[in-house]
Amino acid sequence: MRFDDYFESDDLLDALWDMHFDEMTPIQEQAIPRVLEGRDLLACAQTGTGKTAAYLLPVIDMICTGDYPEDRVNCVIMAPTRELAQQIDRQMQGFAYFLPINSLPIYGGTDGHTYEQQRRGLKLGADVVIATPGRLIAHLQMGSVDLSKVSFFILDEADRMLDMGFYEDIMSIAKHMPKERQTLLFSATMPPKIQQLAKSILRDPAEIKLAVSKPADKIDQLAYICHETQKEGLLRHVLASDEYRRVIVFSSSKLKVKQLARQIRIPGMKIGEMHSDLDQNRREDVMLDFKSGKINVLIATDIVARGIDIDDIELVVNYDVPREGEDYVHRVGRTARADRDGRAVTLVADRDRRSFQQIERLLGKEVRRGEIPAALGAAPAENTASGSRHREGGARGNRGRDDRGRKPDGRGGKSGWQGGKPQRKAAPKPQCEGAQQQSAPQPQDGGQPRKGAPKRHHRKPRKPRLQDEQQ
């Protein structure tokens, strides 16, 4: 199904053309018609399925063609983290590039000058406000924003917001809005607390539930069954086994992220860290350095498991096993994007075995096991047992070797998973981009904007963003 089947605005279709949005994804096919009908929506779809466009495009179309006040907030989009709020705002800029509609990102971790800009922008009114719950609550308490005319209330990554303890904040924000509004709730999972929230804020919603997709087939998944004390050595072994240019290492806590960033040293690799203790400017600098290649290895909490858009990540390492299978899919989904090859390595300590078994049940298969280098000591029993477990460098990488990776003449082979490493295409040189830079619409597939797009008519001048007015 194509976008021009639902949208008649030439300006909106021109932006979609420039961004290489041609065919709708499944979530867009199901969500857009229901949103345009004015119905509340409860949608379960994981990150990377195109759900941002599924709610932004119909809301943009309705605001531009309907009778909505220009000096009030018409739409509020809630996001769990500032990174996701920034990403939504950038996509909003692309979709509305040729349209007289503005957006205002609101999030914490900024200085007093930025806070004052946010306050003045909210006072002037914005078509779309994209906010984290805590910062919007602060503006409501200060009387900086009036939500009495809001027509659209959208919650993105709602399950993540509830995990972060934002339930009361969401309910408090909803009380400042009129009851006669359209509410859209998007979540990657559907636990009981999401259903409770849906009953509280949605009215006779349409429901969409897409099955949790599996990791891309091009992801070479590997697991090391190890002791907790062997993890650090295994991480060094994995990182040193190839010349990776862009790697994400996920850990369960910001304390462990800090420790690893200090302790891991690989020749020729620059290590960076990302967690909630970093202020906003530092986060933006780290992400910019990671995208431009100044940082090769980013050690992070799940703060970057959702809401980042980098296509050429070559390796993802789960230093700690995630709690939920869906989180595993989100993490390893950072690699093998845009039809590239990728690797995902998980370090499974004794206490994580049950959680990893649940992940394997979700995947519908057993993840290939890696052999721990002898220098790191003896491995748990499962890693050395024969039988149903797959050996590292099995049929693909150990041809002509015995079951310990040795050649017939007795010489030892490579340890780890070097022997079975598939050939990867060279990744393109990373492009540096500013976190808040406003630019023309960018294509969703990473290509160059199309040239020669038909100009359907003389476009109206674009309404400036609130930040431009304030400066």
Side-chain angles (χ1 to χ4, degrees):
M1 188 173 294
R2 299 181 60 85
F3 291 98
D4 53 15
D5 293 334
Y6 286 100
F7 304 115
E8 297 182 359
S9 169
D10 290 333
D11 294 327
L12 181 57
L13 293 174
D14 282 348
L16 291 172
W17 173 277
D18 289 341
M19 296 172 72
H20 288 200
F21 277 71
D22 296 319
E23 297 288 336
M24 291 186 180
T25 65
I27 184 62
Q28 292 164 1
E29 286 186 3
Q30 297 188 47
I32 288 176
R34 291 171 171 83
V35 177
L36 291 174
E37 291 171 0
R39 296 193 62 183
D40 284 5
L41 183 64
L42 173 60
C44 181
Q46 72 180 87
T47 299
T49 56
K51 58 183 174 55
T52 305
Y55 61 75
L56 277 183
L57 291 175
V59 168
I60 291 173
D61 184 70
M62 287 188 286
I63 290 177
C64 289
T65 58
D67 184 18
Y68 295 90
E70 295 186 0
D71 58 346
R72 299 293 183 93
V73 176
N74 292 311
C75 173
V76 172
I77 301 174
M78 304 298 304
T81 64
R82 66 192 78 175
E83 285 77 20
L84 183 55
Q86 290 172 335
Q87 180 176 318
I88 296 170
D89 183 52
R90 287 194 294 268
Q91 199 152 11
M92 174 75 190
Q93 292 179 50
F95 293 146
Y97 190 76
F98 303 124
L99 293 164
I101 185 172
N102 57 35
S103 63
L104 179 65
I106 301 292
Y107 45 79
T110 57
D111 55 20
H113 176 69
T114 303
Y115 181 88
E116 180 61 21
Q117 281 188 327
Q118 294 176 359
R119 187 192 67 79
R120 288 186 303 202
L122 290 169
K123 282 288 188 182
L124 291 171
D127 292 307
V128 179
V129 169
I130 306 163
T132 54
R135 179 47 61 99
L136 187 57
I137 285 287
H139 282 289
L140 284 169
Q141 292 173 343
M142 296 295 292
S144 305
V145 57
D146 178 9
L147 303 181
S148 64
K149 299 296 183 180
V150 167
S151 298
F152 306 96
F153 185 33
I154 303 170
L155 289 85
D156 197 355
E157 302 285 7
D159 55 342
R160 181 78 185 279
M161 281 193 280
L162 296 188
D163 287 340
M164 297 170 68
F166 287 133
Y167 179 84
E168 295 299 331
D169 287 348
I170 292 172
M171 297 306 298
S172 176
I173 291 169
K175 290 178 181 177
H176 288 79
M177 301 179 185
K179 293 183 179 180
E180 298 298 323
R181 65 174 188 270
Q182 186 174 1
T183 305
L184 314 177
L185 192 155
F186 287 80
S187 178
T189 59
M190 198 60 65
K193 53 188 177 182
I194 287 293
Q195 298 173 9
Q196 176 187 352
L197 177 63
K199 290 179 181 178
S200 302
I201 64 175
L202 300 180
R203 300 175 302 162
D204 187 27
E207 295 190 19
I208 299 173
K209 187 172 184 180
L210 300 182
V212 176
S213 64
K214 307 299 174 58
D217 292 336
K218 288 197 171 186
I219 300 178
D220 180 23
Q221 300 179 66
L222 181 71
Y224 285 98
I225 308 300
C226 61
H227 298 296
E228 186 71 29
T229 54
Q230 295 173 316
K231 281 187 174 183
E232 189 174 322
L234 273 172
L235 179 59
R236 288 193 177 91
H237 166 72
V238 169
L239 294 178
S241 64
D242 205 343
E243 295 182 359
Y244 294 107
R245 290 184 290 181
R246 190 165 286 110
V247 180
I248 297 181
V249 179
F250 287 106
S251 186
S252 59
S253 69
K254 56 188 177 184
L255 178 60
K256 194 175 292 186
V257 167
K258 296 175 184 178
Q259 292 173 343
L260 288 174
R262 290 195 301 267
Q263 296 169 4
I264 300 298
R265 292 290 180 269
I266 305 295
M269 283 191 172
K270 180 69 179 298
I271 310 292
E273 61 186 86
M274 175 68 75
H275 48 77
S276 59
D277 279 353
L278 300 180
D279 61 32
Q280 178 61 25
N281 290 335
R282 181 56 183 156
R283 286 194 197 187
E284 292 177 1
D285 290 343
V286 169
M287 290 307 300
L288 187 60
D289 288 344
F290 186 54
K291 290 178 180 179
S292 64
K294 294 180 180 178
I295 290 177
N296 308 110
V297 180
L298 183 63
I299 304 176
T301 59
D302 278 315
I303 196 170
V304 297
R306 311 183 193 187
I308 64 169
D309 188 18
I310 304 175
D311 288 337
D312 54 348
I313 294 172
E314 300 168 305
L315 171 68
V316 169
V317 179
N318 292 308
Y319 190 85
D320 298 308
V321 175
R323 292 179 299 174
E324 303 291 341
E326 291 86 353
D327 293 332
Y328 176 88
V329 175
H330 285 305
R331 287 183 179 185
V332 304
R334 298 302 95 195
T335 187
R337 295 167 70 90
D339 203 34
R340 293 184 174 92
D341 294 327
R343 286 185 177 273
V345 176
T346 303
L347 310 184
V348 186
D350 297 336
R351 63 183 181 182
D352 298 324
R353 290 200 191 185
R354 179 170 297 180
S355 297
F356 194 67
Q357 289 172 355
Q358 294 176 350
I359 290 172
E360 289 182 314
R361 282 195 289 270
L362 175 67
L363 299 178
K365 67 176 183 179
E366 183 180 84
V367 176
R368 186 166 57 93
R369 277 12 181 200
E371 185 173 344
I372 296 178
L376 297 179
E382 178 181 306
N383 197 56
T384 58
S386 60
S388 63
R389 299 296 183 192
H390 294 283
R391 285 284 187 173
E392 162 54 21
R396 182 179 62 181
N398 271 350
R399 294 175 182 172
R401 302 171 186 259
D402 63 15
D403 62 349
R404 297 185 63 183
R406 296 179 300 188
K407 297 180 179 179
D409 60 1
R411 290 178 296 173
K414 294 183 179 181
S415 62
W417 36 268
Q418 291 172 300
K421 180 179 65 177
Q423 294 297 321
R424 295 193 305 277
K425 297 179 181 179
K429 294 182 180 180
Q431 300 295 322
C432 178
E433 64 180 46
Q436 292 292 347
Q437 181 180 2
Q438 180 171 338
S439 60
Q442 296 298 313
Q444 68 173 352
D445 58 3
Q448 295 297 320
R450 298 179 182 177
K451 296 181 179 180
K455 185 178 294 185
R456 296 178 174 83
H457 63 85
H458 181 70
R459 298 190 181 97
K460 302 183 291 293
R462 181 173 64 91
K463 186 175 180 180
R465 302 186 73 225
L466 291 174
Q467 292 95 326
D468 301 332
E469 296 177 354
Q470 294 155 8
Q471 295 172 355

